Amino acid sequence: MPALAVGVPEELSARVPVEQREPGLDRDGVRLLVSRGTEVSHHAFAELPGLLRAGDLLVVNTSPTLAAAVDGRVGHARVVVHFSTRGDDGRWAVELREPDGRGTTRARTEMTGTTQARTEMTGVPRARAEEGEGVEGRGCGGLAGTRVRLPGGARLVLEEPLSARGERLWWARVSGAGVPATLREHGRPIRYSYTERDQPLSVYQTVFALPYADGTGSAEMPSAARPFTAGLVAELVSRGVQFAPVTLHTGVASAESHEPPYPERFAVPEASARLINAARAGDGRVVAVGTTAVRAVESAAGADGVVRARAGWTDLVVTPERGVRVVEGLLTGLHEPEASHLLMLEAVAGRAAIDRGYEAAVRGRYLWHEFGDVHLLLP
């Protein structure tokens, strides 16, 4: 999908959560853009119960947001480690970034591979570093063998790139302390340069988030669900709208290059599979809350459109060519015009609907990103 033709002015980035913009606002104080094909209408998010109908099913992601950014040092250099995904072998996929001086981070400058850099990053003695020992790859994230000192006595070593696609994310082994404990004690939520300031972790948790015994969760908030409040959920249930919980632990996004998503852990429980199949057999619409919920549900759907309980890893990338088998509607945030997520939106609603909706969002001064307004795509 070529980038959308619209330009998003910088001032349309939501810098703080809605409840911090004006006294008396709650999370559901954001605006809601509704697209039905190429027809567009404008609402408050609190009007959502009136836009759905009895029998509709909202698929929600229960993954909690982790305090996934931790300060560290590589030699004398300061870095910020973004913990992305826990592997089956106990390693973690991580991204090494550098502080930008404004409280956020930027991609690391590609390493030169000099002897000095190799020695500082990998801890390999100079004589052996001159022969290339401990240096198996290059890229913006680091080098194989790079050693990172973390708070609390933890140590992290980069072992191999997560994917042949590039070297932004690496599999790393952590010793000296457990990752969940390190995140709890020394981590903070990942944030990007368009935001105004650090926020407590509670700001990044959705009303649907559940704790997991192994400490896993999402590196970045499943933000489409952020506007829901307990009161709004109760009103939706009272009107006959149902909820089907699924889990997808989302990894670290590529803020600069808009890469497609990497494999992520997901689970669709038996009870939710039954609810989804029943809604499809009746008059209800299956509406995913967020792109993470789409990825989870579509990963559990067979070619026959039947959803079956599944858990594990998914590498599914939903595109217009693949299409969707189950999801009929989508509630999502507003994405940058180059974002790979727009392929999923096009698969659900078609390119014309996305073009028209985004043009209306820019004209209407909607706000972008995780603290911004939301977009409901209905059939």
Side-chain angles (χ1 to χ4, degrees), residues 16-209:
V16 296
V18 62
E19 63 270 23
Q20 297 177 15
R21 291 181 218 147
E22 293 181 31
L25 290 180
D26 203 344
R27 291 183 172 211
D28 60 3
V30 297
R31 300 168 67 193
L32 176 64
L33 179 73
V34 178
S35 292
R36 294 181 177 88
T38 55
E39 295 182 6
V40 174
S41 57
H42 305 274
H43 305 266
F45 187 78
E47 297 175 49
L48 180 64
L51 298 166
L52 300 176
R53 59 187 187 226
D56 284 346
L57 181 70
L58 294 177
V59 182
V60 297
N61 186 1
T62 61
S63 179
T65 307
L66 301 176
V70 179
D71 293 324
R73 285 192 176 273
V74 175
H76 298 294
R78 294 174 58 214
V79 296
V80 179
V81 182
H82 286 179
F83 285 84
S84 181
T85 306
R86 183 178 63 82
D88 293 333
D89 59 1
R91 296 186 298 175
W92 280 75
V94 302
E95 180 182 11
L96 264 57
R97 296 176 67 85
E98 60 185 33
D100 63 4
R102 299 191 301 268
T104 51
T105 64
R106 58 181 169 236
R108 298 192 76 208
T109 305
E110 185 170 359
M111 299 307 299
T112 63
T114 64
T115 299
Q116 179 182 359
R118 293 172 182 176
T119 299
E120 288 187 357
M121 292 183 70
T122 66
V124 173
R126 183 181 183 87
R128 287 156 56 195
E130 289 174 349
E131 300 175 1
E133 184 173 337
V135 182
E136 298 176 8
R138 290 174 53 186
C140 64
L143 306 171
T146 295
R147 300 180 182 184
V148 184
R149 301 192 309 277
L150 300 174
R155 297 287 189 271
L156 178 151
V157 179
L158 300 187
E159 293 191 345
E160 60 181 326
L162 178 68
S163 166
R165 268 196 246 156
E167 296 178 347
R168 180 179 68 89
L169 292 172
W170 286 73
W171 285 117
R173 198 167 296 278
V174 179
S175 60
V179 172
T182 298
L183 300 187
R184 283 195 304 270
E185 295 173 20
H186 304 287
R188 61 186 179 276
I190 291 172
R191 77 175 181 95
Y192 294 106
S193 58
Y194 51 79
T195 57
E196 186 175 288
R197 57 182 178 269
D198 283 346
Q199 299 284 348
L201 184 59
S202 59
V203 167
Y204 289 87
Q205 302 296 5
T206 74
V207 72
F208 304 111

Side-chain angles (χ1 to χ4, degrees), residues 294 298 318-319 322-328 344 347-348:
V294 176
E298 292 293 326
V318 178
T319 64
R322 189 269 188 188
V324 285
R325 297 170 177 172
V326 175
V327 172
E328 299 163 275
M344 181 183 289
V348 173

Side-chain angles (χ1 to χ4, degrees), residues 228-245:
F228 286 87
T229 63
L232 188 65
V233 170
E235 183 177 354
L236 286 162
V237 171
S238 72
R239 290 172 176 247
V241 176
Q242 294 183 295
F243 290 83

